[in-house]
Amino acid sequence: MKLHPLTAAIRTQVDRTPEGEHSSPLFLTSSFCFDNAEEMRAAFADETDDNIYSRFSNPNTRELIDRVCALEGAEAGFAMASGMSAVFASFMALLRQGDHLLSCSAVFGSTHTVITKYLPKYGIESSYFAADKPETWEALIRPNTKMIYIETPTNPGLDLIDLEAIGALAKKHNIILNVDNCFATPVSQQPIRFGADLVVHSATKWLDGQGRVLGGLVVGRKDLIHEIYLFCRSTGPALSPFNAWILSKSIETLDVRMERHAANALHLATSLEGHPAIRWVRYPFLPSHPQYDIARKQMRDGGGVLCFELAGGLEAGRRFLDGLKLLSLTANLGDTRSIASHPASTTHAKLTEAERSTVGITPGLIRISAGLEHRDDVLADILGALDGVC
Ligand SMILES: *Cc1c(COP(=O)(O)O)cnc(C)c1O
Protein backbone atom coordinates (compact mmCIF):
# COMPACT_ATOMS: atom_id res chain seq x y z
CA MET A 1 0.00 0.00 0.00
CA LYS A 2 1.41 3.39 -1.06
CA LEU A 3 1.20 5.63 1.98
CA HIS A 4 1.06 9.42 2.20
CA PRO A 5 4.37 10.67 3.70
CA LEU A 6 2.57 11.86 6.85
CA THR A 7 1.11 8.38 7.32
CA ALA A 8 4.48 6.75 6.65
CA ALA A 9 6.03 9.05 9.27
CA ILE A 10 3.70 7.49 11.84
CA ARG A 11 3.28 3.93 10.57
CA THR A 12 6.84 3.07 9.50
CA GLN A 13 8.03 0.86 12.31
CA VAL A 14 10.61 -1.78 13.15
CA ASP A 15 9.36 -5.35 12.74
CA ARG A 16 7.36 -6.59 15.72
CA THR A 17 9.17 -8.94 18.08
CA PRO A 18 7.44 -12.15 19.24
CA GLU A 19 6.01 -10.12 22.18
CA GLY A 20 3.59 -8.42 19.78
CA GLU A 21 4.23 -4.91 21.10
CA HIS A 22 2.24 -2.08 19.49
CA SER A 23 4.98 0.56 19.92
CA SER A 24 8.59 0.10 18.91
CA PRO A 25 10.82 -1.33 21.62
CA LEU A 26 14.20 0.13 22.41
CA PHE A 27 17.15 -1.87 21.06
CA LEU A 28 19.87 -0.92 23.52
CA THR A 29 22.46 -3.29 22.15
CA SER A 30 25.87 -2.54 20.75
CA SER A 31 26.01 -5.62 18.52
CA PHE A 32 23.78 -8.25 16.89
CA CYS A 33 24.10 -12.05 16.79
CA PHE A 34 24.05 -14.42 13.83
CA ASP A 35 22.70 -17.96 13.68
CA ASN A 36 25.63 -19.38 11.77
CA ALA A 37 28.88 -18.64 9.97
CA GLU A 38 27.26 -18.24 6.57
CA GLU A 39 24.77 -15.61 7.82
CA MET A 40 27.58 -13.71 9.46
CA ARG A 41 29.76 -13.88 6.35
CA ALA A 42 26.91 -12.60 4.15
CA ALA A 43 26.22 -9.68 6.50
CA PHE A 44 29.86 -8.62 6.51
CA ALA A 45 30.01 -8.96 2.72
CA ASP A 46 27.08 -6.47 2.50
CA GLU A 47 24.94 -9.15 0.83
CA THR A 48 22.18 -8.61 3.42
CA ASP A 49 21.10 -5.55 5.37
CA ASP A 50 21.23 -7.38 8.69
CA ASN A 51 22.38 -5.29 11.63
CA ILE A 52 25.95 -6.03 12.66
CA TYR A 53 27.00 -3.35 15.12
CA SER A 54 25.22 -0.20 16.32
CA ARG A 55 27.95 2.08 14.98
CA PHE A 56 26.80 0.91 11.51
CA SER A 57 23.07 0.47 12.04
CA ASN A 58 20.45 -0.27 14.67
CA PRO A 59 16.67 -0.90 14.38
CA ASN A 60 15.74 2.30 16.24
CA THR A 61 18.07 4.39 14.10
CA ARG A 62 16.71 2.68 10.95
CA GLU A 63 13.14 3.53 11.94
CA LEU A 64 14.01 7.20 12.44
CA ILE A 65 15.87 7.37 9.11
CA ASP A 66 13.00 5.71 7.22
CA ARG A 67 10.48 8.14 8.69
CA VAL A 68 12.54 11.22 7.82
CA CYS A 69 13.20 9.82 4.33
CA ALA A 70 9.43 9.44 3.86
CA LEU A 71 8.84 13.07 4.85
CA GLU A 72 11.68 14.45 2.73
CA GLY A 73 10.96 12.22 -0.30
CA ALA A 74 14.52 10.84 -0.02
CA GLU A 75 15.91 7.55 -1.34
CA ALA A 76 18.20 6.88 1.61
CA GLY A 77 19.63 8.38 4.77
CA PHE A 78 21.94 8.06 7.74
CA ALA A 79 21.49 9.34 11.30
CA MET A 80 24.21 10.77 13.51
CA ALA A 81 24.81 11.95 17.07
CA SER A 82 24.19 15.65 16.33
CA GLY A 83 23.34 18.06 13.56
CA MET A 84 26.98 19.09 13.34
CA SER A 85 28.18 15.51 12.85
CA ALA A 86 25.68 15.29 9.99
CA VAL A 87 26.94 18.51 8.40
CA PHE A 88 30.58 17.51 8.87
CA ALA A 89 30.08 13.98 7.51
CA SER A 90 28.32 15.34 4.42
CA PHE A 91 31.41 17.48 3.71
CA MET A 92 34.14 15.01 4.60
CA ALA A 93 32.64 12.02 2.82
CA LEU A 94 32.08 13.86 -0.47
CA LEU A 95 34.74 16.57 -0.76
CA ARG A 96 38.43 16.08 -1.34
CA GLN A 97 41.59 18.18 -1.53
CA GLY A 98 41.28 20.75 -4.31
CA ASP A 99 37.47 20.83 -4.28
CA HIS A 100 35.52 24.03 -3.75
CA LEU A 101 32.45 24.44 -1.55
CA LEU A 102 30.08 27.33 -2.27
CA SER A 103 27.92 28.25 0.72
CA CYS A 104 25.35 30.90 1.54
CA SER A 105 26.92 33.48 3.85
CA ALA A 106 24.54 33.17 6.79
CA VAL A 107 25.01 29.64 8.08
CA PHE A 108 24.76 28.16 11.55
CA GLY A 109 27.76 29.26 13.67
CA SER A 110 29.48 25.89 14.00
CA THR A 111 28.94 25.18 10.30
CA HIS A 112 30.70 28.48 9.59
CA THR A 113 33.60 27.35 11.81
CA VAL A 114 33.85 24.01 10.00
CA ILE A 115 33.90 25.72 6.60
CA THR A 116 36.36 28.48 7.46
CA LYS A 117 38.63 26.78 10.00
CA TYR A 118 38.66 23.05 9.31
CA LEU A 119 38.01 22.53 5.59
CA PRO A 120 41.14 24.54 4.65
CA LYS A 121 43.25 22.11 6.72
CA TYR A 122 42.29 19.44 4.18
CA GLY A 123 42.85 21.67 1.15
CA ILE A 124 39.12 22.24 0.54
CA GLU A 125 38.39 25.77 -0.68
CA SER A 126 35.22 27.67 0.10
CA SER A 127 33.47 30.92 -0.65
CA TYR A 128 30.17 32.51 0.29
CA PHE A 129 27.26 34.01 -1.63
CA ALA A 130 24.47 36.39 -0.62
CA ALA A 131 21.08 34.69 -0.25
CA ASP A 132 19.17 37.66 -1.63
CA LYS A 133 21.30 38.25 -4.76
CA PRO A 134 20.57 35.28 -7.06
CA GLU A 135 21.95 37.16 -10.05
CA THR A 136 25.46 36.89 -8.49
CA TRP A 137 25.44 33.14 -7.78
CA GLU A 138 26.47 31.67 -11.12
CA ALA A 139 29.63 33.81 -11.40
CA LEU A 140 30.85 32.33 -8.10
CA ILE A 141 30.88 28.78 -9.45
CA ARG A 142 34.43 27.57 -10.17
CA PRO A 143 35.55 24.62 -12.29
CA ASN A 144 36.28 22.75 -9.03
CA THR A 145 33.00 23.61 -7.27
CA LYS A 146 31.76 20.27 -6.01
CA MET A 147 29.04 21.23 -3.56
CA ILE A 148 26.63 24.09 -2.90
CA TYR A 149 25.57 24.31 0.74
CA ILE A 150 22.60 26.36 1.90
CA GLU A 151 20.22 27.04 4.75
CA THR A 152 16.76 28.43 4.09
CA PRO A 153 15.37 30.12 6.13
CA THR A 154 18.75 31.22 7.47
CA ASN A 155 19.60 31.49 11.15
CA PRO A 156 18.92 33.91 12.75
CA GLY A 157 18.09 36.49 10.04
CA LEU A 158 15.43 34.36 8.27
CA ASP A 159 16.60 35.18 4.75
CA LEU A 160 15.30 32.79 2.14
CA ILE A 161 17.02 31.14 -0.78
CA ASP A 162 14.97 30.36 -3.87
CA LEU A 163 15.23 26.56 -3.93
CA GLU A 164 13.97 26.29 -7.50
CA ALA A 165 16.65 28.72 -8.74
CA ILE A 166 19.53 27.20 -6.80
CA GLY A 167 18.36 23.68 -7.69
CA ALA A 168 18.41 24.53 -11.40
CA LEU A 169 21.86 26.11 -11.11
CA ALA A 170 23.29 23.07 -9.32
CA LYS A 171 21.82 20.73 -11.96
CA LYS A 172 23.16 22.86 -14.83
CA HIS A 173 26.70 22.69 -13.45
CA ASN A 174 26.42 19.15 -12.09
CA ILE A 175 27.13 20.24 -8.52
CA ILE A 176 25.84 18.52 -5.39
CA LEU A 177 23.19 20.67 -3.69
CA ASN A 178 23.19 20.13 0.09
CA VAL A 179 20.42 21.86 2.09
CA ASP A 180 20.22 22.30 5.87
CA ASN A 181 16.44 21.99 6.34
CA CYS A 182 16.48 22.38 10.11
CA PHE A 183 14.50 25.62 10.31
CA ALA A 184 11.66 24.75 7.92
CA THR A 185 11.38 21.01 8.74
CA PRO A 186 10.19 18.54 6.08
CA VAL A 187 6.51 19.12 6.86
CA SER A 188 6.86 22.67 5.55
CA GLN A 189 9.54 22.36 2.88
CA GLN A 190 11.02 19.44 0.93
CA PRO A 191 14.22 20.65 -0.81
CA ILE A 192 14.57 17.41 -2.81
CA ARG A 193 11.45 18.40 -4.79
CA PHE A 194 13.39 21.45 -5.98
CA GLY A 195 16.51 19.54 -6.99
CA ALA A 196 18.49 19.14 -3.74
CA ASP A 197 20.70 16.04 -3.69
CA LEU A 198 21.13 15.99 0.09
CA VAL A 199 19.22 17.36 3.06
CA VAL A 200 20.88 17.67 6.48
CA HIS A 201 19.05 18.07 9.76
CA SER A 202 19.79 18.99 13.31
CA ALA A 203 17.16 16.68 14.82
CA THR A 204 17.94 18.41 18.12
CA LYS A 205 15.58 21.22 17.17
CA TRP A 206 12.05 20.79 15.79
CA LEU A 207 12.30 17.08 14.99
CA ASP A 208 12.71 16.35 18.70
CA GLY A 209 10.72 19.43 19.59
CA GLN A 210 11.07 19.10 23.35
CA GLY A 211 14.68 20.10 23.99
CA ARG A 212 15.61 16.63 25.27
CA VAL A 213 18.13 14.98 22.93
CA LEU A 214 20.74 15.74 20.29
CA GLY A 215 20.69 14.09 16.90
CA GLY A 216 21.29 14.68 13.21
CA LEU A 217 20.50 13.15 9.83
CA VAL A 218 21.54 13.32 6.22
CA VAL A 219 19.04 12.06 3.64
CA GLY A 220 18.97 12.15 -0.14
CA ARG A 221 20.54 10.47 -3.18
CA LYS A 222 21.38 6.84 -2.58
CA ASP A 223 24.90 6.93 -4.06
CA LEU A 224 25.89 9.97 -1.98
CA ILE A 225 24.34 8.57 1.19
CA HIS A 226 26.31 5.36 0.69
CA GLU A 227 29.56 7.35 0.76
CA ILE A 228 28.40 9.17 3.90
CA TYR A 229 27.44 5.85 5.47
CA LEU A 230 30.89 4.39 4.76
CA PHE A 231 32.54 7.50 6.24
CA CYS A 232 30.42 7.34 9.41
CA ARG A 233 30.72 3.58 9.78
CA SER A 234 34.49 4.04 10.00
CA THR A 235 34.71 7.29 11.92
CA GLY A 236 31.96 6.69 14.48
CA PRO A 237 29.52 9.62 14.94
CA ALA A 238 26.75 7.06 15.60
CA LEU A 239 23.40 8.15 17.03
CA SER A 240 22.57 6.40 20.30
CA PRO A 241 19.62 3.99 19.92
CA PHE A 242 17.96 5.69 22.88
CA ASN A 243 18.09 9.09 21.20
CA ALA A 244 16.90 7.51 17.94
CA TRP A 245 13.92 5.99 19.77
CA ILE A 246 13.00 9.38 21.30
CA LEU A 247 13.42 11.18 17.97
CA SER A 248 11.46 8.56 16.05
CA LYS A 249 8.45 8.89 18.31
CA SER A 250 8.71 12.69 18.02
CA ILE A 251 8.39 12.38 14.23
CA GLU A 252 4.86 10.99 14.77
CA THR A 253 3.72 14.39 16.08
CA LEU A 254 5.93 16.65 13.94
CA ASP A 255 3.19 17.70 11.54
CA VAL A 256 0.66 18.75 14.20
CA ARG A 257 3.32 20.37 16.36
CA MET A 258 4.69 22.44 13.48
CA GLU A 259 1.23 23.62 12.50
CA ARG A 260 0.80 25.10 15.96
CA HIS A 261 4.38 26.43 16.26
CA ALA A 262 3.97 28.18 12.89
CA ALA A 263 0.53 29.58 13.78
CA ASN A 264 1.92 30.93 17.07
CA ALA A 265 4.97 32.42 15.35
CA LEU A 266 2.80 34.12 12.71
CA HIS A 267 0.53 35.50 15.44
CA LEU A 268 3.51 36.95 17.34
CA ALA A 269 5.05 38.40 14.17
CA THR A 270 1.77 40.02 13.11
CA SER A 271 1.08 41.40 16.59
CA LEU A 272 4.57 42.85 17.04
CA GLU A 273 4.85 44.52 13.65
CA GLY A 274 4.53 48.29 14.11
CA HIS A 275 5.38 48.28 17.85
CA PRO A 276 7.21 51.55 18.70
CA ALA A 277 10.21 49.76 20.28
CA ILE A 278 10.72 47.61 17.18
CA ARG A 279 12.35 48.70 13.93
CA TRP A 280 11.23 45.70 11.87
CA VAL A 281 9.84 42.19 12.29
CA ARG A 282 10.97 39.33 10.07
CA TYR A 283 8.99 36.12 9.49
CA PRO A 284 8.76 34.20 6.19
CA PHE A 285 4.95 34.27 6.06
CA LEU A 286 4.66 37.95 6.96
CA PRO A 287 3.70 39.81 3.73
CA SER A 288 6.34 42.45 4.58
CA HIS A 289 9.15 39.85 4.29
CA PRO A 290 11.21 40.97 1.27
CA GLN A 291 11.13 37.39 -0.08
CA TYR A 292 7.50 36.64 0.79
CA ASP A 293 6.82 35.29 -2.72
CA ILE A 294 9.64 32.75 -2.35
CA ALA A 295 8.28 31.70 1.04
CA ARG A 296 4.83 31.07 -0.46
CA LYS A 297 6.35 29.14 -3.36
CA GLN A 298 8.48 26.71 -1.38
CA MET A 299 7.10 26.53 2.19
CA ARG A 300 3.77 25.30 3.53
CA ASP A 301 4.09 27.54 6.59
CA GLY A 302 6.67 30.00 7.87
CA GLY A 303 8.13 27.73 10.56
CA GLY A 304 8.46 28.42 14.27
CA VAL A 305 11.13 31.15 14.35
CA LEU A 306 10.67 34.89 14.01
CA CYS A 307 13.04 37.74 14.70
CA PHE A 308 12.87 41.48 15.18
CA GLU A 309 15.21 44.42 15.51
CA LEU A 310 14.94 46.59 18.61
CA ALA A 311 15.24 50.30 17.86
CA GLY A 312 17.47 50.67 20.93
CA GLY A 313 20.25 48.37 19.62
CA LEU A 314 22.63 46.28 21.74
CA GLU A 315 21.70 47.67 25.16
CA ALA A 316 17.98 47.34 24.41
CA GLY A 317 18.61 43.68 23.52
CA ARG A 318 20.10 42.99 26.93
CA ARG A 319 17.31 44.88 28.72
CA PHE A 320 14.68 43.00 26.69
CA LEU A 321 16.04 39.62 27.82
CA ASP A 322 16.10 40.80 31.44
CA GLY A 323 12.48 41.95 31.19
CA LEU A 324 11.11 38.53 30.18
CA LYS A 325 9.36 36.48 32.85
CA LEU A 326 8.05 33.47 30.91
CA LEU A 327 10.23 32.95 27.84
CA SER A 328 13.41 30.93 28.36
CA LEU A 329 16.82 32.47 27.81
CA THR A 330 18.66 29.57 26.24
CA ALA A 331 20.75 28.87 23.16
CA ASN A 332 18.39 26.23 21.74
CA LEU A 333 15.33 26.56 19.53
CA GLY A 334 12.51 24.27 18.44
CA ASP A 335 11.02 23.50 21.84
CA THR A 336 7.53 23.32 23.36
CA ARG A 337 8.69 26.27 25.50
CA SER A 338 9.14 29.64 23.79
CA ILE A 339 12.72 30.89 23.73
CA ALA A 340 14.27 34.33 23.25
CA SER A 341 17.87 35.00 22.31
CA HIS A 342 19.98 38.05 21.54
CA PRO A 343 22.74 36.84 19.19
CA ALA A 344 24.86 40.04 19.29
CA SER A 345 25.54 39.73 23.04
CA THR A 346 25.67 35.90 23.21
CA THR A 347 26.22 33.37 20.40
CA HIS A 348 27.84 35.91 18.07
CA ALA A 349 29.46 38.20 20.67
CA LYS A 350 32.99 37.15 19.62
CA LEU A 351 32.53 38.48 16.08
CA THR A 352 33.17 42.14 15.25
CA GLU A 353 30.14 44.26 14.43
CA ALA A 354 31.17 44.20 10.75
CA GLU A 355 31.44 40.39 10.75
CA ARG A 356 28.07 40.16 12.46
CA SER A 357 26.45 42.34 9.87
CA THR A 358 27.69 40.11 7.00
CA VAL A 359 25.80 37.20 8.57
CA GLY A 360 22.71 39.33 9.13
CA ILE A 361 23.08 39.97 12.85
CA THR A 362 22.25 43.54 13.78
CA PRO A 363 22.88 44.90 17.32
CA GLY A 364 19.26 44.79 18.48
CA LEU A 365 18.28 41.52 16.80
CA ILE A 366 16.08 39.28 18.95
CA ARG A 367 15.27 35.74 17.82
CA ILE A 368 12.12 34.10 19.13
CA SER A 369 11.41 30.38 18.87
CA ALA A 370 7.64 30.11 19.27
CA GLY A 371 6.65 27.32 21.63
CA LEU A 372 3.33 25.60 22.24
CA GLU A 373 2.19 27.63 25.27
CA HIS A 374 -1.01 29.67 24.90
CA ARG A 375 -0.17 32.44 22.47
CA ASP A 376 -1.70 35.17 24.68
CA ASP A 377 0.78 34.44 27.49
CA VAL A 378 3.78 34.50 25.16
CA LEU A 379 2.70 37.74 23.51
CA ALA A 380 1.97 39.36 26.90
CA ASP A 381 5.46 38.44 28.14
CA ILE A 382 7.13 39.91 25.04
CA LEU A 383 5.03 43.09 25.20
CA GLY A 384 5.88 43.46 28.90
CA ALA A 385 9.60 43.19 28.20
CA LEU A 386 9.26 45.69 25.32
CA ASP A 387 7.75 48.19 27.78
CA GLY A 388 11.10 48.17 29.58
CA VAL A 389 13.09 49.13 26.48
CA CYS A 390 10.87 51.89 25.10
C1 LIG B 1 21.47 23.63 15.75
C2 LIG B 1 21.74 23.67 14.30
C3 LIG B 1 22.75 22.87 13.73
C4 LIG B 1 23.64 21.97 14.57
O1 LIG B 1 22.92 20.96 15.20
P1 LIG B 1 23.39 20.25 16.57
O2 LIG B 1 22.38 19.18 16.73
O3 LIG B 1 23.37 21.29 17.65
O4 LIG B 1 24.77 19.72 16.34
C5 LIG B 1 22.93 22.94 12.37
N1 LIG B 1 22.17 23.75 11.59
C6 LIG B 1 21.21 24.55 12.11
C7 LIG B 1 20.42 25.42 11.21
C8 LIG B 1 20.96 24.53 13.48
O5 LIG B 1 20.01 25.33 13.99
Side-chain angles (χ1 to χ4, degrees):
M1 188 176 164
K2 177 95 182 82
L3 299 177
H4 189 282
L6 293 177
T7 308
I10 292 172
R11 283 282 172 179
T12 300
Q13 211 170 319
V14 298
D15 292 338
R16 275 199 188 118
T17 74
E19 299 297 336
E21 70 282 345
H22 186 206
S23 304
S24 295
L26 177 50
F27 292 87
L28 275 183
T29 177
S30 42
S31 67
F32 299 83
C33 294
F34 298 91
D35 286 340
N36 54 56
E38 172 50 24
E39 240 185 40
M40 195 164 183
R41 183 207 62 78
F44 274 85
D46 295 326
E47 290 168 15
T48 68
D49 44 18
D50 288 348
N51 293 301
I52 298 173
Y53 190 57
S54 286
R55 169 151 47 82
F56 310 174
S57 66
N58 171 284
N60 295 118
T61 311
R62 181 80 260 150
E63 182 183 282
L64 169 67
I65 295 167
D66 289 346
R67 288 177 172 193
V68 174
C69 283
L71 291 176
E72 290 284 7
E75 292 172 355
F78 195 74
M80 294 81 153
S82 69
M84 282 322 301
S85 53
V87 171
F88 186 64
S90 75
F91 293 163
M92 295 316 276
L94 300 172
L95 300 174
R96 65 173 67 232
Q97 186 177 14
D99 285 344
H100 171 243
L101 173 82
L102 183 59
S103 166
C104 66
S105 53
V107 287
F108 183 70
S110 297
T111 304
H112 192 269
T113 305
V114 167
I115 293 174
T116 52
K117 182 168 176 195
Y118 294 106
L119 294 189
K121 287 177 72 172
Y122 304 96
I124 299 163
E125 300 168 16
S126 59
S127 56
Y128 292 103
F129 68 85
D132 59 349
K133 296 195 179 65
E135 67 283 359
T136 64
W137 297 346
E138 190 157 21
L140 296 169
I141 293 175
R142 305 176 188 174
N144 59 338
T145 304
K146 181 82 183 289
M147 181 184 284
I148 297 175
Y149 183 82
I150 63 164
E151 288 178 24
T152 179
T154 61
N155 174 32
L158 304 175
D159 287 322
L160 303 178
I161 291 172
D162 186 332
L163 285 170
E164 193 181 2
I166 199 100
L169 194 65
K171 280 279 167 302
K172 180 175 163 196
H173 293 272
N174 197 23
I175 298 168
I176 297 165
L177 177 60
N178 188 359
V179 181
D180 182 334
N181 202 27
C182 170
F183 264 50
T185 85
V187 295
S188 179
Q189 168 178 285
Q190 297 97 31
I192 291 171
R193 278 182 31 212
F194 297 94
D197 301 290
L198 292 173
V199 172
V200 297
H201 273 287
S202 168
T204 315
K205 313 292 170 51
W206 302 107
L207 300 192
D208 173 42
Q210 300 188 22
R212 296 300 197 304
V213 297
L214 281 92
L217 294 108
V218 186
V219 302
R221 247 170 64 192
K222 209 170 179 171
D223 57 326
L224 302 177
I225 294 296
H226 188 64
E227 287 303 317
I228 292 167
Y229 160 72
L230 293 175
F231 174 81
C232 292
R233 172 176 164 149
S234 294
T235 57
L239 178 64
S240 119
F242 179 70
N243 285 9
W245 180 84
I246 300 240
L247 290 168
S248 183
K249 92 186 165 55
S250 297
I251 300 297
E252 295 174 18
T253 56
L254 180 66
D255 183 46
V256 287
R257 285 189 285 111
M258 289 316 297
E259 267 182 10
R260 179 63 69 84
H261 283 295
N264 286 353
L266 179 61
H267 177 69
L268 291 175
T270 309
S271 309
L272 293 171
E273 204 167 37
H275 189 284
I278 292 177
R279 209 166 262 151
W280 45 257
V281 179
R282 184 66 79 82
Y283 181 68
F285 266 40
L286 212 49
S288 61
H289 191 294
Q291 297 163 304
Y292 179 67
D293 292 342
I294 297 174
R296 298 303 302 229
K297 184 171 76 168
Q298 64 195 32
M299 301 174 79
R300 177 192 76 177
D301 56 57
V305 178
L306 65 139
C307 62
F308 52 82
E309 175 69 11
L310 291 170
L314 196 78
E315 200 35 50
R318 294 167 50 87
R319 285 214 310 278
F320 175 78
L321 291 190
D322 282 338
L324 291 167
K325 296 190 174 71
L326 178 71
L327 271 70
S328 313
L329 311 187
T330 176
N332 203 11
L333 63 95
D335 199 301
T336 53
R337 295 154 287 186
S338 296
I339 294 166
S341 69
H342 178 225
S345 72
T346 58
T347 47
H348 295 73
K350 290 200 189 79
L351 304 186
T352 65
E353 188 151 348
E355 285 171 328
R356 277 199 292 269
S357 98
T358 63
V359 294
I361 294 164
T362 41
L365 186 77
I366 298 290
R367 184 186 76 186
I368 304 284
S369 169
L372 299 178
E373 308 97 329
H374 195 282
R375 64 188 204 174
D376 292 352
D377 291 336
V378 179
L379 181 60
D381 194 36
I382 294 174
L383 292 174
L386 287 174
D387 282 346
V389 303
C390 271

